[in-house]
Amino acid sequence: MKRQAWLLLILFVLLSVACFFEARRFVSLETLTKNELLVWVELDRKRLTVYENGTAAAVFPIAVGSADTPSPIGVFRVVSRFVPEMSGFGTRFLGLNVPWGAYGIHGTNHPDSIGSNASHGCIRLKVKDAEALYQMIPNGTPVVLEGGPYGPMNWGIRTLREGDRGADVMQLQKRLMQRGFLFYGADGVFGSATRRAVIDARRAFSLPSGDTADALLQEKLGLVPFE
């Protein structure tokens, strides 16, 4: 009995620490310090805005991920950059530290795609805009990607299964951790540990057996979209 109490206490402390650091990742215009830059990407409006000192310094039209390969949602940072030859990446690429995949902000050799849901998840700009952005923001610049009416759930609930990636997968993992079905791995990647946790959760909630997180399971976990 004492051992169970200690395990619950340790789990509570770990979750509290995780929530603390997650909260510290939040970025808003009000928290910008003097001379700090912020990139704000509105996926639904297909617009990227660069803020300096809380004021819009530049606005660019963009293309974003398709329904099958959505752009990540969350708060990230620019962590890498390179200057490629003219290609699908245009002539500039800024890499983001998205934990569940390789995503970036870059140019394109298909300028007609700007303003649409056309990429594999990256943020596309016109070549001249990508070159201008590349000069404006250094590595370490925070990047906020928001889109859809449901925050991390993007445009609603989708059935999640092994191999899926995204902000909604990370939200699922966090809820599974809160309920004690998953003890680590809130990285936005639906792997084998998440699959086992989903199986256990479905059994605990008396749902039909399976290894996918459908709308029924997500509702039981409290993942209900709201505007």
Side-chain angles (χ1 to χ4, degrees):
M1 191 68 178
K2 288 184 177 181
R3 184 183 181 188
Q4 287 182 333
W6 274 108
L7 287 175
L8 288 173
L9 178 60
I10 292 172
L11 178 60
F12 174 80
V13 171
L14 289 174
L15 287 173
S16 298
V17 171
C19 290
F20 171 76
F21 282 104
E22 182 66 20
R24 289 193 61 179
R25 291 179 59 194
F26 179 76
V27 178
S28 68
L29 296 182
E30 290 76 11
T31 61
L32 284 176
T33 58
K34 188 176 181 180
N35 297 322
E36 188 172 1
L37 292 168
L38 172 71
V39 175
W40 199 284
V41 180
E42 298 168 274
L43 299 175
D44 52 344
R45 296 186 178 183
K46 313 294 188 299
R47 182 171 67 187
L48 182 154
T49 305
V50 179
Y51 288 94
E52 185 172 6
N53 302 330
T55 301
V59 181
F60 303 111
I62 59 174
V64 302
S66 67
D68 293 331
T69 56
S71 297
I73 293 176
V75 182
F76 312 105
R77 288 188 181 275
V78 176
V79 293
S80 63
R81 62 182 57 220
F82 67 92
V83 179
E85 296 292 330
M86 183 62 182
S87 65
F89 293 145
T91 59
R92 298 292 187 275
F93 186 97
L94 296 167
L96 305 177
N97 64 336
V98 180
W100 56 83
Y103 297 90
I105 303 172
H106 59 76
T108 179
N109 56 1
H110 294 288
D112 55 318
S113 69
I114 301 300
S116 66
N117 297 72
S119 79
H120 288 89
C122 288
I123 306 303
R124 293 181 186 174
L125 297 91
K126 296 176 182 177
V127 168
K128 63 180 180 61
D129 292 343
E131 292 177 349
L133 180 67
Y134 193 93
Q135 295 299 318
M136 293 178 70
I137 60 171
N139 285 3
T141 301
V143 178
V144 178
L145 287 96
E146 63 167 0
Y150 304 127
M153 308 308 292
N154 203 354
W155 291 95
I157 286 181
R158 60 170 175 152
T159 296
L160 302 173
R161 51 181 50 86
E162 191 167 7
D164 284 341
R165 297 164 177 261
D168 51 356
V169 174
M170 181 175 283
Q171 293 301 309
L172 170 68
Q173 291 170 327
K174 290 177 180 178
R175 293 304 178 97
L176 289 169
M177 291 178 67
Q178 290 172 3
R179 295 299 187 96
F181 298 113
L182 183 67
F183 295 97
Y184 63 92
D187 56 3
V189 180
F190 196 130
S192 58
T194 302
R195 176 178 174 273
R196 289 192 297 271
V198 164
I199 292 173
D200 291 342
R202 296 187 70 89
R203 184 183 303 115
F205 290 125
S206 299
L207 296 176
S209 61
D211 59 0
T212 61
D214 56 12
L216 287 174
L217 176 60
Q218 293 187 51
E219 183 178 357
K220 292 289 187 182
L221 291 169
L223 289 170
V224 180
F226 60 90
E227 296 190 41

